[in-house]
Amino acid sequence: MSESPTTPQRRALVVGATGIVGQAVARRLVEEGWETYGLSRSGTSPHPDVRPVRADLGDADGLAEALADVRPDFVAITAWTRMETEAENIRVNGGAVRDLLAALSPGGSVRHVALMTGLKHYLGPFEAYGKGEMPDTPFHEDEPRLPYPNFYYAQEDELFAAAERHGFTWSVHRSHTVFGFATGNAMNMVATLCAYASLCRETGRPFVFPGSEQQWNGLTDVTDADLLAEQMTWAASTPAGQDEAFNTANGDVFRWRWLWPQVAAWFDLEWEGYADAPRTLDDSMADAEPVWRRLAADHGLVEADLSRVASWWHSDADLGREMEVVTDMNKSRTAGFSATRDTRAAFFDYAQRYRDARIIP
């Protein structure tokens, strides 16, 4: 009796593999048995079983050379570059999607591309964030685009055009604030709040909520990076998940006035809630760099550069919103993706991972 032929191993490429979402996607693909490549500017690998690819998304020729022999079945795009204006965001980030997919097209191997975007799809770009008329919450995927230039729209259009040309399927994943594990990431709320709490404890300051009254009292949701990774890999292998855009949130809602005291207790801190006006992290932590360097030396932390752990501006932007931000997950559930995460448990799981990795004391 002859043996059945061996099933070829599936091959994936994670773009932005060292980022907060890219690391989660790469880990999940490895766990699911994919031969996994991870593209980053540094050329480092987030996992021993992820093959590093060093390339800059802004260098079309370099991308083509670096990816010539990769030939992935599945591509997960989790990277973007923040520029000074939205016009530059569109040029750089839309161009990156276009050049990446062009670099992969000669091999003809790509079957599915998953693109991570976010809720600026509904809220508007940085230059018009939360201004003008916006859709009612919870946000639904079939809302029309806002009348502002937006690099998420440009990325989508490049994805749709390439899919039409080359015959692969696609999915778009619109995440909210991402909870995850990474350093050197520009948008990392868990690491930012953990660094803030550590600095408050070191200096004897109370753990002050930095945001708006709306965010303190109102309902909100967030996205666990592992859940986003799970949704991306699900879409790659499930017909109902293909050629569709999906919101990606944990499935629960919470109020910061509920979670904030629990975070303070985890760090053994006194806390203060909203009072009269936002008290931003950018202002309160303006003098924190030398304190963090001392903390890092005293506790043997692996990252003495506070800017690689905390992104004050991003957490200020999310926690300072003056509008409700909640997403609808029914489209995803109807298509068959019903996974959820407990936001409170996720926060403290990642906080413990940062402590165990000696990123925070």
Side-chain angles (χ1 to χ4, degrees):
M1 185 176 183
S2 62
E3 294 184 0
S4 59
T6 303
T7 302
Q9 187 177 27
R10 298 170 298 175
R11 182 178 294 181
L13 171 68
V14 180
V15 180
T18 58
I20 192 169
V21 173
Q23 289 193 34
V25 175
R27 284 193 302 269
R28 184 165 192 90
L29 288 165
V30 169
E31 290 167 3
E32 292 186 359
W34 291 75
E35 180 185 2
T36 305
Y37 289 76
L39 186 148
S40 67
R41 275 195 298 253
S42 65
T44 56
S45 175
H47 188 283
D49 294 326
V50 173
R51 302 184 182 190
V53 178
R54 184 174 185 174
D56 188 328
L57 289 173
D59 177 3
D61 292 337
L63 274 173
E65 182 178 353
L67 296 172
D69 298 323
V70 175
R71 298 179 180 271
D73 305 288
F74 169 47
V75 181
I77 304 174
T78 69
W80 74 287
T81 302
R82 188 185 182 197
M83 305 301 292
E84 288 295 320
T85 67
E86 194 61 18
E88 282 295 288
N89 278 331
I90 289 168
R91 182 184 66 81
V92 170
N93 294 288
V97 172
R98 179 183 64 248
D99 293 342
L100 171 76
L101 298 178
L104 292 168
S105 64
S109 63
V110 177
R111 295 166 57 192
H112 185 82
V113 177
L115 171 67
M116 181 189 80
T117 63
L119 296 195
K120 286 189 290 296
H121 187 95
Y122 309 112
L123 291 164
F126 288 117
E127 293 173 9
Y129 191 72
K131 298 178 182 177
E133 188 171 338
M134 291 181 299
D136 283 338
T137 54
F139 297 132
H140 298 83
E141 292 90 339
D142 59 359
E143 298 288 351
R145 290 180 173 182
L146 298 175
Y148 309 109
N150 190 318
F151 81 87
Y152 284 161
Y153 304 162
Q155 287 183 309
E156 284 188 347
D157 289 343
E158 294 292 352
L159 174 66
F160 302 156
E164 181 73 20
R165 284 194 302 271
H166 303 297
F168 57 76
T169 59
W170 56 266
S171 56
V172 175
H173 305 263
R174 298 172 185 162
S175 61
H176 195 173
T177 301
V178 175
F179 283 9
F181 182 86
T183 56
N185 186 268
M187 299 189 296
N188 189 338
M189 182 177 282
V190 177
T192 297
L193 295 183
C194 285
Y196 173 45
S198 301
L199 287 160
C200 287
R201 188 169 180 179
E202 178 69 11
T203 58
R205 301 182 187 184
F207 188 55
V208 174
F209 180 74
S212 68
E213 183 177 15
Q214 168 64 50
Q215 294 307 306
W216 179 249
N217 290 317
L219 289 171
T220 191
D221 56 23
V222 299
T223 303
D224 188 307
D226 288 339
L227 179 76
L228 179 51
E230 187 175 348
Q231 191 191 56
M232 281 183 149
T233 57
W234 163 80
S237 55
T238 307
Q242 295 167 2
D243 298 334
E244 298 287 349
F246 294 104
N247 291 333
T248 315
N250 287 353
D252 60 2
V253 293
F254 69 99
R255 302 180 202 272
W256 278 106
R257 71 185 189 201
W258 169 79
L259 185 57
W260 198 257
Q262 298 180 67
V263 176
W266 199 83
F267 285 94
D268 194 23
L269 289 168
E270 297 295 323
W271 61 273
E272 295 180 13
Y274 175 82
D276 300 325
R279 292 174 281 179
T280 66
L281 295 171
D282 247 343
D283 288 341
S284 65
M285 293 288 104
D287 58 353
E289 288 281 355
V291 182
W292 184 262
R293 287 195 295 271
R294 185 175 70 244
L295 259 181
D298 291 348
H299 294 274
L301 303 185
V302 297
E303 186 53 76
D305 182 353
L306 181 57
S307 68
R308 288 185 50 77
V309 180
S311 46
W312 308 130
W313 69 270
H314 177 257
S315 292
D316 278 341
D318 276 6
L319 297 176
R321 293 167 176 156
E322 297 291 349
M323 77 291 287
E324 180 182 68
V325 181
V326 182
T327 50
D328 183 271
M329 287 294 291
N330 282 325
K331 181 179 179 182
S332 190
R333 292 171 184 144
T334 301
F337 183 79
S338 57
T340 61
R341 293 293 187 278
D342 181 315
T343 293
R344 178 190 179 279
F347 185 97
F348 293 118
D349 174 66
Y350 287 121
Q352 188 62 52
R353 287 175 63 184
Y354 283 119
R355 180 166 284 171
D356 292 344
R358 293 188 298 114
I359 293 167
I360 63 169

